[in-house]
Amino acid sequence: MSSQTTTPKTSGSTEPTPLVQTRITNWAANFPWWGLILALMGVLLIYSFATNASYQDIIVYLVAGIRLTVIVTLVSFILSMIIGLITAFAQMSKGTNIFSVAARNIATLYVQIIRGIPVIVLIFYTALVIVPAGISALNALGDWMVSNGWLEVENSLSNLNSRGVSFVIRGIIALAINYGAFSAEVFRAGIQSIEKGQLEASNALGLNWIQTMRYVVMPQALRRILPPLGNDFISMLKESSLVSVLGVGEITQLGKKYSAASFLYPQTYNTVAFLYLSMTLILSMGVKYMEQRMKVGEDK
């Protein structure tokens, strides 16, 4: 008979159990490595801003562009919300009279056209075609009112000149027109998502259309459309860089000028990219927080 020897297992074994290995693997797989990379890149750039004179000069030069970028984005976004809300109501009009039919078709035509045109093309078209045509129409209106004796010969309408409209204003109009079409679809989807039973209940309470929209529909619709509108605001902030093609002195345009004069292309565009990324990340966190608050409100 052969004797078999067994090696006793030591209680102090350091080999990880399968459960521990699974936990480590899951943690490594789910860890936001992208966030760590962004944080390291941010720390590196901030260190460069603090210690490198070239980066400091670039930041000082771009300060005016940051301010103009924020102004262009905010004004364009507010105008696009107004255009979008009016267009959404026009699209949802169900009347059979000529005004309702015309409003519905014009609003639908506007949305379909704008959604099919690239933003940069729309910026050029607005700045060089729509705005001059609008100025000419206002001049003709002023002349007509003068001929009827309603205005004096020297009046602001007749004396308007397209050269008096800055390219900043033209860029703002272009962005507002572009995002007004997308905002209209967001508003329309949010309003139509409200259950018909609530509209019937408001009618039973004797509320008219304006009161129904104000007290019943819009408070609920806004809760649902605020997150996508926040995402549109972030997209508008990034696409505001496209108005640089008109020579508007926002971040991208000033960065292009500085790099062309100094030949510091890596440093300049590192700074420009960092500024846009910082603003969009802050806005993204704000949108995420808003979405969480919306969910909490719905749970209650």
Side-chain angles (χ1 to χ4, degrees):
M1 295 179 63
S2 60
S3 61
Q4 296 180 352
T5 60
T6 59
T7 303
K9 294 182 179 181
T10 60
S11 58
S13 177
T14 59
E15 295 182 1
T17 63
L19 180 59
V20 174
Q21 289 179 337
T22 301
R23 290 179 176 176
I24 294 174
T25 302
N26 291 337
W27 176 85
N30 297 322
F31 185 81
W33 297 104
W34 61 269
L36 180 60
I37 294 172
L38 281 178
L40 292 175
M41 291 173 59
V43 169
L44 179 61
L45 283 174
I46 291 173
Y47 176 77
S48 299
F49 296 151
T51 58
N52 192 315
S54 297
Y55 277 103
Q56 294 173 3
D57 293 339
I58 295 170
I59 285 289
V60 172
Y61 188 80
L62 295 180
V63 166
I66 298 172
R67 182 168 57 251
L68 185 57
T69 296
V70 173
I71 292 173
V72 168
T73 304
L74 286 175
V75 177
S76 300
F77 185 73
I78 293 172
L79 292 177
S80 69
M81 293 299 98
I82 297 173
I83 295 172
L85 188 59
I86 294 173
T87 304
F89 281 127
Q91 283 184 296
M92 293 184 296
S93 62
K94 298 180 180 179
T96 57
N97 59 71
I98 187 172
F99 296 104
S100 297
V101 173
R104 183 166 60 249
N105 282 275
I106 292 173
T108 303
L109 178 65
Y110 159 70
V111 171
Q112 295 301 323
I113 289 177
I114 296 303
R115 292 174 66 184
I117 299 177
V119 182
I120 193 167
V121 175
L122 183 61
I123 289 174
F124 280 124
Y125 193 82
T126 301
L128 304 177
V129 178
I130 294 179
V131 170
I135 296 295
S136 299
L138 291 175
N139 292 153
L141 176 62
D143 294 339
W144 178 76
M145 296 179 73
V146 169
S147 65
N148 286 277
W150 297 340
L151 286 179
E152 297 180 356
V153 176
E154 294 296 329
N155 63 83
S156 57
L157 287 179
S158 299
N159 295 329
L160 279 177
N161 193 317
S162 59
R163 294 183 179 179
V165 181
S166 69
F167 281 102
V168 174
I169 296 177
R170 300 184 193 206
I172 289 174
I173 294 173
L175 290 176
I177 292 174
N178 179 74
Y179 276 90
F182 295 95
S183 300
E185 291 298 285
V186 174
F187 279 115
R188 183 179 61 83
I191 293 172
Q192 291 181 339
S193 68
I194 305 302
E195 294 76 8
K196 293 183 178 179
Q198 299 196 35
L199 302 179
E200 294 172 355
S202 62
N203 291 332
L205 292 173
L207 300 179
N208 57 35
W209 183 84
I210 296 178
Q211 291 173 328
T212 300
M213 287 292 135
R214 179 179 178 183
Y215 297 111
V216 179
V217 176
M218 292 308 297
Q220 299 180 73
L222 285 175
R223 185 185 297 274
R224 300 177 184 181
I225 66 178
L226 277 177
L229 288 180
N231 292 328
D232 283 348
F233 184 69
I234 295 173
S235 298
M236 181 178 286
L237 174 65
K238 293 186 294 183
E239 292 190 356
S240 66
S241 62
L242 294 177
V243 300
S244 62
V245 298
L246 301 177
V248 176
E250 43 73 64
I251 297 175
T252 304
Q253 177 68 8
L254 292 184
K256 183 169 63 174
K257 287 183 177 180
Y258 189 90
S259 61
S262 64
F263 297 100
L264 298 175
Y265 292 100
Q267 296 90 331
T268 302
Y269 286 105
N270 282 342
T271 306
V272 171
F274 175 77
L275 291 174
Y276 277 112
L277 184 60
S278 301
M279 290 187 287
T280 54
L281 285 177
I282 292 172
L283 290 175
S284 297
M285 290 187 290
V287 171
K288 290 287 186 182
Y289 175 76
M290 182 173 57
E291 290 178 356
Q292 295 297 326
R293 291 294 302 270
M294 295 296 103
K295 290 180 181 179
V296 171
E298 290 178 356
D299 294 339
K300 290 181 181 179

